Amino acid sequence: GPVNAPDTDDVGWLVAVGWPERIAARREGRPGAFLLAGGRGAQLADADLLAGEDWLAVAALDRGSQEARIHLAAPLSPAQLRAAVGDRLVTQDEVGWRDGDVVARRSERLGVLTLGSRPLPDPDPDAVLDALLDGLVESGLEVCSWDRATRQLQARVLLLHRHLGPPWPDLSDEALLERVREVFGPFLLRARRRTDLEALDLTTVLRSQLPPGHERELERLAPTHLEVPSGTRVALDYGEGERPVLAVRVQEVMGASHTPTVLDGRLPVLLHLLSPARRPVQVTDDLDGFWEGAYPQVRAELRGRYPKHDWPEDPRRSQPTHRPRPKRRG
């Protein structure tokens, strides 16, 4: 007969034809453990020679309390199995998020058993999109590639959302994931797998959520940099706190008594005032109070350590600078 043709005298084949629900597949990692097509677990005695077979046709078993005990069974080759139950095999396509990526497979199943599966060559794009959106929700937005500028953009818009409300949207991770399809769907129409999530341009995604025409307003109300009295543009850090942080050397804000602000003057920034070596000296949102209260002690401590830098007695009437003064001659 043809190669792989089943031997119809074979006990295994006869049992499989008569009781297809008693075909059993070996379970990984548990010696002698099998799963029956009907859904029950079944166990062979450990020493049984059939314990290493991939497929069995089970002729006799008892019900058992937890698992059935197999008393009589015969091995079954994949070809015999297919010949016995060919018309009962169900083809099933699965597209979903599994173990951190999109899985698209076509499987042949007999009851709860999978006989074989292969990659699905052309999965339904809607099902792939659903899987990717499930992946975003399950993994969290950390699965995407954030950079500092994008996190800062998110924090800037959140500051406006907290203080001004509409039309500034809530762009927190939680709020974005609650509207995952609306926010991310349009950017994932050609995406197929996890690496496409990692490659998402999140800056474009976040900016797509801003009210139309509000880019300039965002720059005005929550700028990325502020110019300090010395003329230097210093980056703001919108980070974790309630207000953005401006880290700047004491000498660069001399001559100013008012704390720099964002939100059109409504919100003073948090100043991290630094020594010439950029070590923190004071944290304050009240620059005038700093000059009045803590500065004299700061001046006394740092004047000897940084003699090339100006430490005037009245910093409010002093010129700011971002470099040490040249030594005066004479």
Side-chain angles (χ1 to χ4, degrees):
V3 180
N4 287 341
D7 177 355
T8 47
D9 295 334
D10 194 298
V11 171
W13 186 83
L14 292 169
V15 172
V17 170
W19 295 284
E21 71 283 356
R22 288 209 202 157
I23 291 171
R26 186 164 58 85
R27 289 173 131 166
E28 289 297 321
R30 286 173 56 197
F34 285 80
L35 181 64
L36 295 161
R40 271 184 76 86
Q43 185 76 33
L44 275 172
D46 287 350
D48 198 297
L49 292 172
L50 295 175
E53 293 286 341
D54 288 334
W55 300 97
L56 295 179
V58 178
L61 74 169
D62 66 31
R63 285 290 162 207
S65 55
Q66 298 298 315
E67 289 202 323
R69 301 287 300 180
I70 298 172
H71 293 299
L72 190 58
L76 201 57
S77 72
Q80 288 174 325
L81 196 161
R82 282 178 187 285
V85 298
D87 55 339
R88 290 173 178 259
L89 290 182
V90 175
T91 300
Q92 192 175 39
D93 289 350
E94 180 208 9
V95 180
W97 184 264
R98 301 271 179 284
D99 302 323
D101 210 338
V102 175
V103 171
R105 300 196 73 78
R106 172 163 287 168
S107 303
E108 281 187 300
R109 295 177 73 88
L110 173 69
V112 300
L113 305 181
T114 302
L115 270 67
S117 72
R118 59 183 189 276
L120 198 55
D122 201 12
D124 173 39
D126 288 342
V128 173
L129 177 59
D130 287 344
L132 285 164
L133 296 174
D134 287 347
L136 270 178
V137 172
E138 187 183 303
S139 311
L141 294 186
E142 286 73 30
V143 74
C144 304
S145 301
W146 291 86
D147 58 17
R148 186 178 183 280
T150 311
R151 279 293 185 198
Q152 288 288 311
L153 172 62
Q154 180 187 40
R156 289 161 64 207
V157 178
L158 275 173
L159 186 79
L160 299 182
H161 173 73
R162 277 204 310 271
H163 286 271
L164 307 179
W168 299 104
D170 182 353
L171 296 190
S172 65
D173 284 16
E174 300 73 34
L176 291 170
L177 288 175
E178 273 174 23
R179 296 170 31 242
V180 68
R181 181 172 294 275
E182 178 193 330
V183 174
F184 293 94
F187 297 93
L188 293 172
L189 297 177
R190 301 184 110 127
R192 289 288 170 268
R193 56 188 63 83
R194 182 196 182 96
T195 48
D196 295 320
L197 291 182
E198 292 167 3
L200 261 182
D201 179 0
L202 286 176
T203 297
T204 305
V205 174
L206 293 182
R207 288 193 184 277
S208 75
Q209 298 303 302
L210 294 178
H214 274 59
E215 292 277 336
R216 190 172 290 177
E217 193 72 349
L218 172 64
E219 298 308 321
R220 192 173 69 79
L221 292 169
T224 57
H225 294 71
L226 283 179
E227 188 170 311
V228 293
S230 66
T232 308
R233 287 181 81 243
V234 180
L236 280 163
D237 182 358
Y238 286 81
E240 302 303 309
E242 282 301 301
R243 55 181 74 204
V245 168
L246 190 71
V248 61
R249 291 196 293 264
V250 173
Q251 272 75 13
E252 300 220 34
V253 288
M254 287 179 176
S257 54
H258 295 300
T259 310
T261 59
V262 293
L263 300 187
D264 254 355
R266 271 171 281 206
L267 185 69
V269 303
L270 194 60
L271 286 166
H272 284 199
L273 296 171
L274 311 174
S275 74
R278 301 195 68 81
R279 296 212 171 82
V281 168
Q282 184 83 12
V283 173
T284 182
D285 62 358
D286 175 10
L287 187 56
D288 206 39
F290 167 73
W291 296 138
E292 201 63 53
Y295 174 74
Q297 188 188 345
V298 166
R299 176 177 182 264
E301 282 175 18
L302 297 187
R303 202 160 52 137
R305 200 181 308 164
Y306 302 103
K308 288 184 180 173
H309 294 261
D310 265 2
W311 300 96
E313 283 190 30
D314 187 357
R316 279 171 283 204
R317 295 184 194 283
S318 247
Q319 283 296 310
T321 175
H322 59 265
R323 58 172 68 86
R325 293 289 165 87
K327 278 246 164 66
R328 291 188 185 84
R329 297 190 172 179

